[in-house]
Amino acid sequence: MSTHARGPRLPSPRGPLSAAVAARLRGTGPLPRPAEAGEADPYGDDLQLALYLCYELHYRGFGGVGPEPEWDPDLLRVRAALEGRFLSALRADTPEHDSLDDALAALLVEPAEGSGVTHFLCAEGELWQLREYAAQRSLYHLKEADPHAWVLPRLWGRAKAGMAAVEFDEFGGGRADRIHARLFAALMTDLGLDAAYGGYLDAARAEMLAVVNLMSLFGLHRGLRGALVGHFADVEITSSPGSRRLAEAMRRTGAGPAAEFFYDEHVEADAVHEQVVRHEVIGGLLAEEPELAADVTFGIDTTEYLEDRLARRLLADWRAGRSSLRTPLTPEISHTS
């Protein structure tokens, strides 16, 4: 009989909601009442971790937790309440573009003097900051493209074909050694980090959890398929220039060949993906369901909103000379070429 040993360990709770969800997964306690979610900070540590725990059951799960909780009706009711609180806050707080064309146009323009995280890391980032950035981002990159795969059964025609083509590249084009999640694990090894799936869940900030949870929220709901496409478009359109800056940062700091290669690979691949996503995925979707244009716009705008929140947190910490992680990393490991 399986002991369900595979998967990361359950993280430490960050409040009553996440403590109760974790206890339920261990079989040691009751769930919170769904109404309690409505009283929590929608972007805070407790709600975001509780939601992450619920979503991770649809991916690899947790060590010691069997498969049954994935479809536990009581847990799903709590998840729905957590999602409702998060989604309502996003709808209220996210600055919205007037149209999809406006939202896409904003993504396609690179400011002459950028001030985001990748600009900072490229120009002046130190190796310890690159390590922290990789540790935070590992919550997504070690399952890169998985959240987006949920939308494939909910598309058809050009949109499905275009989405599948991009996902095929993300999953290595049929080569296990080129799966992007595996390339990121190699990057982490170059940086002297633990490349285990979920290894930095305890250390990651709520702002990073929210970025990852957004993908799962959109991907797991058929009614949010347009928003998932918008999110995917944002990721692919902005990836190439950001990856170019990160590749330069890795080279400048001597991070290592695998660290450089991960971002070099994204510079080329995502420049192609951007065209496919805009013309085939979005174009194909709206040719079939033009009423989803507002949802695609919402997906773009919420992605930018949450990424901006994360960027502000990282840059505030780094510029103050402090760690951006809840638990600072062990001392840097020197890289030898």
Side-chain angles (χ1 to χ4, degrees):
M1 186 164 90
S2 172
T3 60
H4 311 297
R6 299 189 68 179
R9 66 176 180 81
L10 281 165
S12 300
R14 303 187 189 183
L17 290 171
S18 53
V21 171
R24 177 68 167 222
L25 297 183
R26 293 189 183 98
T28 61
L31 283 166
R33 292 178 296 105
E36 293 176 44
E39 302 167 2
D41 177 356
Y43 308 113
D45 278 297
D46 192 26
L47 184 142
Q48 289 298 326
L49 180 59
L51 192 52
Y52 188 98
L53 293 176
C54 292
Y55 284 149
E56 192 57 36
L57 299 174
H58 299 290
Y59 295 102
R60 298 194 194 181
F62 295 97
V65 177
E68 296 81 12
E70 182 178 7
W71 301 112
D72 177 346
D74 294 328
L75 183 57
L76 290 173
R77 277 189 283 273
V78 171
R79 194 192 91 183
L82 297 168
E83 289 176 326
R85 177 68 168 150
F86 184 35
L87 187 57
S88 294
L90 289 171
R91 293 196 185 281
D93 299 340
T94 300
E96 298 180 18
H97 283 93
D98 292 333
S99 69
L100 176 56
D101 286 343
D102 289 344
L104 289 170
L107 295 181
L108 291 166
V109 175
E110 273 275 294
E113 295 185 9
S115 58
V117 169
T118 62
H119 292 87
F120 172 87
L121 291 174
C122 180
E124 57 185 294
E126 299 178 26
L127 190 58
W128 69 270
Q129 293 161 333
L130 287 168
R131 296 179 78 233
E132 289 199 350
Y133 184 75
Q136 298 266 18
R137 286 286 179 186
S138 68
L139 295 190
Y140 166 60
H141 280 305
L142 290 180
K143 63 168 157 231
E144 186 169 345
D146 289 350
H148 301 130
W150 292 110
V151 82
L152 281 168
R154 291 148 186 181
L155 303 175
W156 59 91
R158 285 170 53 205
K160 182 189 284 284
M163 190 79 187
V166 176
E167 288 282 272
F168 182 66
D169 284 350
E170 301 286 347
F171 292 130
R175 292 178 52 185
D177 63 318
R178 296 298 294 267
I179 292 173
H180 285 189
R182 181 168 290 188
L183 297 180
F184 193 81
L187 171 150
M188 295 182 77
T189 299
D190 262 4
L191 290 171
L193 298 171
D194 178 5
Y197 181 91
Y200 291 101
L201 178 53
D202 269 324
R205 293 289 184 181
E207 290 86 352
M208 187 65 226
L209 297 182
V211 167
V212 180
N213 283 339
L214 184 72
M215 301 181 220
S216 298
L217 171 65
F218 289 164
L220 286 167
H221 289 270
R222 184 169 61 87
L224 294 172
R225 62 194 180 280
L228 189 282
V229 167
H231 168 82
F232 192 62
D234 186 291
V235 170
E236 296 299 330
I237 291 172
T238 61
S239 174
S240 187
S243 293
R244 183 177 292 106
R245 289 187 286 271
L246 289 169
E248 291 174 7
M250 295 296 176
R251 271 187 280 276
R252 180 175 56 77
T253 57
E260 296 171 20
F261 181 77
F262 178 82
Y263 289 112
D264 283 334
E265 171 77 4
H266 281 69
V267 171
E268 182 177 348
D270 290 343
V272 176
H273 293 171
E274 178 233 313
Q275 297 294 319
V276 176
V277 172
R278 285 173 56 210
H279 298 295
E280 298 304 314
V281 182
I282 293 178
L285 176 70
L286 297 185
E288 299 282 354
E289 299 181 280
E291 69 276 10
L292 294 183
D295 288 351
V296 178
T297 305
F298 178 68
I300 293 172
D301 289 340
T302 51
T303 302
E304 288 294 297
Y305 176 66
L306 291 181
E307 288 285 358
D308 284 347
R309 291 184 79 255
L310 175 62
R312 288 196 299 272
R313 178 58 186 262
L314 296 177
L315 292 174
D317 286 337
W318 291 340
R319 285 171 175 151
R322 60 178 179 260
S323 174
S324 68
L325 296 164
R326 297 178 74 247
T327 305
L329 297 174
T330 55
E332 295 175 9
I333 298 175
S334 298
H335 175 78
T336 303
S337 299

